[in-house]
Amino acid sequence: MERGINGMSLEELEALLKGLGQAPFRAKQVFHALHAEGLDSLDEVTTLPKALREVLKDYPLRTVKEVNQLLSRDGSRKFLYALEDGNTVETVYMPYPDRTTLCISSQVGCKMGCKFCASTKAAFARNLQAEEILSQVYQTERITGDRVDRIVLMGIGEPLDNYDEVVRFLRLITDPKGKNLSARAITLSTCGLVPRIYDLAEEGIPINLAISLHASSDEDRRRTMPIANRYSIQEIIRACMAYFEKTGRRISLEYVLIEGENDRPQDLDALARLFKGPMWHINLLPLNPIKEYKGRPSGEERIFAFEEALHRRGIHASIRRKRGEDIDGACGQLRILYQGMGGPS
Ligand code: SAH
């Protein structure tokens, strides 16, 4: 797919406009309009000559369009966004009193095949382009009138399986001439594509890293997460240590508690052995049940006891606040529902 002008770096825009006989400051204006102002069209940018706006219409400006929106009792909103080709992705908007967090998607569907995850149940269609990832942020800001302060790459898809576009997205959204979001305000969640974790450590973008762990041994992990057949927990730990050394960012571990599967005393022991020290933080959260997976969420008491027991062993752990539960805030369910209703893709 051809690169949209809203997915180009300032240097790429300068090269494009130079080819069109334009001065470099025009590229700065375009970049500012697209990224600092988050516009989804150049039509209203009257500081640009009309002729130039017309010429630029020959180049794709790739944005997402709202097709559905679910509002949760807690104020979260889940957007279903359509891409140009009719595929859809989900974005979850979570306002808190002191900040707003946005959960964005990186792929249409997912290839990773985690048994408990709805995103993997609909077939994988394609990677998102950087500009389609960005547009989820800018469109949500426009629709809600709110400013996004934090971003979590925890929507549909495995971000490190779409590495180049995700890194391009990270560079664009942290660009001081654009939205200028701090890398520290961004968290990327991965099921653990070990070589890409090493790569990410070298990019010079110190974002937070979250690892979807969900099991305390390789053997258990292989039962629900196919990626565990490729990389062991020890390999993930080594990659995370390299990431921590390079970026100074602590690593969080996502641990979805599944009754009787990973909430046993032996899991506590294993986790406490593996993840001691200030570098690690375990996020506990109850499984969000989906019909394709038979596991049940651990009960509330069990979750609190699990957290307590980890604390007693000196492990940093907390229970993650659940948002948008009543709108299936998690896990690709809106996209599947929409497909079921005869929506695109
Ligand atoms: N592919 C990436 C990011 C997307 S999933 C990853 O694996 O991390 C975002 C988080 O939701 C992951 O931690 C994922 O394991 C978790 N998740 C998936 N299905 C879930 C479910 N049914 N209940 C609770 N969390 C789930």
Side-chain angles (χ1 to χ4, degrees):
M1 208 168 17
E2 201 189 338
R3 172 72 53 209
I5 56 169
N6 53 336
M8 290 181 183
S9 66
L10 180 58
E11 294 70 33
E12 289 166 338
L13 270 178
E14 277 170 359
L16 174 74
L17 291 193
K18 193 172 173 200
L20 298 171
Q22 298 285 334
F25 80 94
R26 293 293 181 205
K28 284 204 184 69
Q29 284 181 308
V30 171
F31 192 86
H32 189 270
L34 295 174
H35 298 285
E37 297 178 59
L39 299 179
D40 61 354
S41 134
L42 297 173
D43 288 343
E44 270 99 71
V45 189
T46 47
T47 48
L48 287 175
K50 186 134 199 291
L52 177 58
R53 278 181 271 151
E54 286 304 315
V55 172
L56 286 175
K57 283 196 176 137
D58 292 341
Y59 298 86
L61 200 166
R62 207 160 278 120
T63 59
V64 299
K65 302 260 177 328
E66 181 187 347
V67 286
N68 197 355
Q69 183 184 146
L70 296 178
L71 178 63
S72 164
R73 280 188 295 273
D74 64 20
S76 306
R77 296 199 224 172
K78 179 148 78 169
F79 293 97
L80 185 71
Y81 283 128
L83 313 171
E84 263 175 24
D85 61 5
N87 276 307
T88 53
V89 293
E90 296 175 7
T91 305
V92 183
Y93 163 80
M94 293 168 281
Y96 296 90
D98 56 334
R99 61 171 192 272
T100 289
T101 300
L102 198 67
C103 174
I104 59 177
S105 296
S106 56
Q107 296 180 312
V108 183
C110 186
K111 292 185 238 166
M112 296 299 121
C114 300
K115 293 250 172 15
F116 45 76
C117 180
S119 298
T120 229
K121 304 301 171 193
F124 173 82
R126 68 170 172 88
N127 282 328
L128 293 189
Q129 303 246 114
E131 56 269 33
E132 294 170 321
I133 306 176
L134 265 172
S135 179
Q136 295 170 56
V137 180
Y138 299 156
Q139 294 292 48
T140 306
E141 288 188 325
R142 191 195 328 278
I143 294 166
T144 59
D146 192 8
R147 196 190 62 206
V148 168
D149 309 294
R150 292 196 192 178
I151 290 178
V152 294
L153 279 149
M154 290 190 184
I156 298 174
E158 167 48 51
L160 296 186
D161 186 41
N162 183 15
Y163 186 84
D164 292 344
E165 293 300 313
V166 165
V167 168
R168 176 180 278 271
F169 157 77
L170 294 172
R171 291 200 192 290
L172 285 168
I173 200 137
T174 55
D175 194 308
K177 295 187 204 69
K179 182 168 165 69
N180 194 17
L181 196 70
S182 159
R184 282 154 202 271
I186 304 172
T187 300
L188 181 150
S189 179
T190 175
C191 62
L193 299 190
V194 166
R196 297 290 86 76
I197 295 173
Y198 286 103
D199 292 343
L200 192 63
E202 303 298 326
E203 299 286 354
I205 322 169
I207 58 167
N208 305 300
L209 192 62
I211 304 289
S212 295
L213 186 69
H214 306 325
S216 67
S217 72
D218 289 319
E219 197 191 338
D220 287 350
R221 200 162 184 262
R222 284 194 285 265
R223 277 207 290 276
T224 49
M225 300 180 69
I227 192 69
N229 293 302
R230 271 168 57 201
Y231 306 109
S232 68
I233 293 176
Q234 277 308 331
E235 287 172 300
I236 293 175
I237 288 176
R238 278 198 294 274
C240 287
M241 289 169 88
Y243 190 84
F244 178 69
E245 260 170 43
K246 278 276 171 187
T247 62
R249 306 306 293 156
R250 291 199 230 163
I251 311 288
S252 46
L253 302 151
E254 307 293 300
Y255 199 86
V256 166
L257 284 159
I258 310 169
E259 191 177 64
E261 298 285 334
N262 64 2
D263 61 356
R264 306 154 301 179
Q266 73 222 57
D267 297 306
L268 278 171
D269 293 339
L271 291 177
R273 241 187 350 263
L274 291 167
F275 301 109
K276 237 190 182 71
M279 170 186 151
W280 305 104
H281 186 102
I282 303 184
N283 277 322
L284 302 169
L285 51 161
L287 176 78
N288 186 17
I290 61 166
K291 70 172 188 314
E292 295 88 349
Y293 177 66
K294 64 172 189 350
R296 308 306 310 162
S298 308
E300 208 160 275
E301 257 175 57
R302 182 93 212 101
I303 297 176
F304 282 117
F306 204 86
E307 183 195 28
E308 265 286 315
L310 285 173
H311 288 169
R312 275 200 304 277
R313 287 166 166 81
I315 304 297
H316 295 278
S318 53
I319 300 169
R320 213 169 54 200
R321 279 191 276 175
K322 261 187 142 185
R323 294 294 304 251
E325 210 173 344
D326 51 335
I327 53 167
D328 288 329
C331 322
Q333 282 147 333
L334 183 60
R335 177 169 169 252
I336 290 181
L337 197 69
Y338 191 68
Q339 283 181 355
M341 296 184 319
S345 96

